[in-house]
Amino acid sequence: MVEQSLQRGQDDSGATPVVIWGSGAIGGTIGAALVRAGRDVLFVDVSKDHVERMRSDGLCIEGPIDNFSCQTNALTPDEMTGQWPLILLAVKAHHTEAATRQLLPFLRSDGAVVSCQNGMNEPVISDIVGPDRVIGAFVNFLADYIEPGKILYGGRGAVVVGEIDGTQSKRVSEIYETLKLFEPDAVLTDDIFGYLWGKAAYGTLLKTSAIADASIVDYITGETYRSVLLGMIQEVLTAAQAECVLPKSFNGFEPAVFLANDTTGIAKSLEALRAYNALSTKTHSGVWRDLVKRKRQTDVVAQLNPIRMIAARHGIATPLMDRLIELVEDVEAGRREVGATTFAALSDVTS
């Protein structure tokens, strides 16, 4: 069915076939929902174990939101063939350039890559495939890759899509309708970078909770962490302000109150974030899982470096981001362990 749809650029329903490039937490969860909705989906992943399990047993989604399995078409990148009209890129930020170069030969000249990733990866993708073939996206649902063929879908969250130049188009409207098959409350926006900057600010608390060895909820509510939490968010929002970007709100996060140092508003936003994350069975951040469970490199540097460079261009200091990167690299290299001592080395920056 996949090859037949490839020839005509549509599946049996007339819809565009979808390639999921990176079939872990984000890509696997979205792709499985599309398969269940009847869409023609091809999963691509570098993990041979994951691909083989998807081929033999299908892809299993489990958790409080949904529990189901679906039969899947799955390949490793070296097995890929053909030309495809729509590729949802869902790899970690630090794999963006390599993955985009891998997928480039398989993207149709009139096709599009949608960055369903954490981080502002659209500029990197644009440099490789051309900006006219890139669609921006923002995702904030909670999911984890558990093992080959199995993904935890721990909680619903914002899903937003938009052209990177803010225009409306037929293709982005069609992609929006496709994403609604996964998240019915998905948003079509003319300001995707507003959402990406908002996620970048919120994402700092996910990264710092990891080196503190704290759950997301404990980090949000813990007074020990508060000065770092607020300082990190401020660094990102100040850079956004210098870029004349107004970060968008989502899932309880209200960037404006943090930027204004509105104590009452910040308390309300943090409580909303606590309540939102408390509903999820994903208790810790993906960065924490990479550092503690999977013992592998994180995408912290890849996500924060673009923001640091923008800040530097505007003469804005980012001491907390700078130190966080050093500490994460130390943990990745085995020179430190996550926990109170490592977090204190970050907190010292605020003293």
Side-chain angles (χ1 to χ4, degrees):
M1 183 173 67
V2 173
E3 291 301 325
Q4 291 176 348
S5 66
L6 172 60
Q7 297 302 315
R8 60 180 181 273
Q10 293 179 326
D11 64 18
D12 295 335
S13 68
T16 301
V18 179
V19 173
I20 303 290
W21 200 288
S23 305
I26 294 174
T29 308
I30 294 174
L34 299 185
V35 171
R36 188 170 62 168
R39 293 295 295 270
D40 190 354
V41 178
L42 175 64
F43 294 85
V44 180
D45 201 88
V46 296
S47 169
K48 291 183 179 180
D49 289 345
H50 190 38
V51 167
E52 289 173 2
R53 183 63 60 84
M54 287 192 287
R55 284 173 175 167
S56 61
D57 300 335
L59 181 58
C60 176
I61 305 297
E62 62 181 32
I65 306 302
D66 223 336
N67 287 275
F68 68 97
S69 295
C70 61
Q71 293 302 307
T72 58
N73 296 296
L75 302 173
T76 55
D78 60 295
E79 297 172 319
M80 190 68 172
T81 61
Q83 295 272 295
W84 297 82
L86 179 59
I87 300 177
L88 305 190
L89 182 60
V91 300
K92 294 277 189 178
H94 57 304
H95 296 145
T96 299
E97 181 178 353
T100 305
R101 294 193 186 282
Q102 277 188 316
L103 67 81
L104 179 59
F106 311 109
L107 179 66
R108 274 187 0 193
S109 60
D110 63 344
V113 179
V114 184
S115 174
C116 295
Q117 302 169 266
N118 289 314
M120 288 185 278
N121 304 297
E122 286 77 1
V124 175
I125 302 168
S126 295
D127 285 345
I128 297 169
V129 307
D132 58 325
R133 293 201 286 177
V134 180
I135 302 287
F138 155 67
V139 295
N140 195 54
F141 62 91
L142 297 102
D144 267 329
Y145 172 93
I146 302 302
E147 62 185 40
K150 183 179 291 186
I151 293 171
L152 168 69
Y153 183 16
R156 291 176 63 189
V159 174
V160 184
V161 65
E163 293 280 4
I164 60 175
D165 63 0
T167 60
Q168 297 296 325
S169 65
K170 179 182 178 182
R171 69 174 186 175
V172 79
S173 296
E174 291 175 350
I175 293 167
Y176 164 63
E177 293 299 330
T178 295
L179 290 175
K180 284 175 67 178
L181 297 173
F182 165 64
E183 174 47 65
D185 294 332
V187 173
L188 176 60
T189 184
D190 60 1
D191 186 14
I192 191 63
F193 282 102
Y195 282 99
L196 292 174
W197 274 98
K199 178 62 181 286
Y202 168 68
T204 59
L205 71 84
L206 303 178
K207 297 170 180 62
T208 46
S209 70
I211 67 160
D213 197 23
S215 72
I216 299 171
V217 168
D218 285 347
Y219 187 78
I220 290 170
T221 58
E223 288 299 325
T224 302
Y225 311 122
R226 189 56 50 84
S227 63
V228 170
L229 182 154
L230 296 178
M232 291 283 289
I233 290 174
Q234 281 281 358
E235 286 186 0
V236 176
L237 295 180
T238 302
Q241 187 177 48
E243 284 284 283
C244 299
V245 175
L246 183 63
K248 297 289 188 179
S249 305
F250 60 91
N251 297 136
F253 182 60
E254 299 290 341
V257 301
F258 289 90
L259 191 58
N261 200 25
D262 176 353
T263 304
T264 301
I266 288 171
K268 290 180 179 179
S269 183
L270 289 176
E271 170 54 25
L273 289 172
R274 182 209 61 78
Y276 167 70
N277 283 281
L279 293 173
S280 174
T281 53
K282 177 179 177 175
T283 58
H284 290 68
S285 71
V287 173
W288 178 87
R289 178 171 287 276
D290 282 342
L291 291 175
V292 176
K293 297 296 185 180
R294 305 187 75 179
K295 304 293 185 181
R296 67 177 188 179
Q297 183 184 17
T298 72
D299 59 357
V300 169
V301 176
Q303 287 196 43
L304 293 184
N305 264 349
I307 299 168
R308 293 167 72 215
M309 288 188 290
I310 289 170
R313 193 171 70 238
H314 292 284
I316 299 168
T318 55
L320 283 167
M321 277 192 273
D322 299 344
R323 186 63 172 136
L324 176 62
I325 284 176
E326 293 174 357
L327 294 171
V328 168
E329 290 179 332
D330 279 350
V331 175
E332 291 172 345
R335 294 187 293 267
R336 288 180 178 269
E337 294 183 354
V338 299
T341 300
T342 298
F343 182 80
L346 177 62
S347 183
D348 285 347
V349 175
T350 64
S351 299

